[in-house]
Amino acid sequence: TQLLEQSPQFLSIQEGENLTVYCNSSSVFSSLQWYRQEPGEGPVLLVTVVTGGEVKKLKRLTFQFGDARKDSSLHITAAQPGDTGLYLCAGAEGGSYIPTFGRGTSLIVHP
Amino acid sequence: KAGVTQTPRYLIKTRGQQVTLSCSPISGHRSVSWYQQTPGQGLQFLFEYFSETQRNKGNFPGRFSGRQFSNSRSEMNVSTLELGDSALYLCASSLRISGSSNEQFFGPGTRLTVL
């Protein structure tokens, strides 16, 4: 059973377009992270959200944590080729130190 | 502050052999976790070491083992390699303190190919 469901699985868009990727679960998370991974490299932490309803912005990226802390979204405005990569969400339940990762959304931004 | 380092970056082995991978965490991080990443299964948790003790274990066979040294460096060993063990093996370090947000800081990974 996949604890964290990410959608869409694949996304291919043109430079300048906006996009949103989703991370959903039936579990409540104490915190949730978003990572970006480029081919052949390890995931790089983008943001952590901990409070229900929280919104964080990182340049053109906007992250939102659901009110019930069961889901999250990542919105990218005016995507650029440098945004290409695998976007992973990860959440840990309760007092667990080990997060569970979603399968990821593979994003390709064409120039 | 230096990031997580992993060696080697690439490895080619044949079935039946064993392999040892190494990971040095970020200075001050005492928790090291290992993950296996494949296109079909995504990122799967292998185990976590903290203060030289295995604290959490994923659902992998006993062929996968690890250890952590007093300087927090960690090694992962896979014995009797199978073709299905071909994957990117990622090491991640974290602070693992009460109230922390479970953030994982990953190394570049070791790409293991089993022929």
Side-chain angles (χ1 to χ4, degrees), chain A residues 31 33 35 37 40 42 48 96, chain B residues 9 37 101-104 106-107:
Chain A
S31 68
Q33 288 82 40
Y35 296 81
Q37 184 178 22
T48 295
S96 174
Chain B
R9 289 294 309 274
Q37 188 176 35
S101 55
N102 320 107
E103 294 174 341
Q104 306 274 295
F106 286 87

Side-chain angles (χ1 to χ4, degrees), chain B residues 25-38:
Chain B
I26 291 172
S27 177
H29 286 193
R30 295 168 60 196
S31 168
V32 174
S33 296
W34 289 89
Y35 295 84
Q36 181 194 67
Q37 188 176 35
T38 59

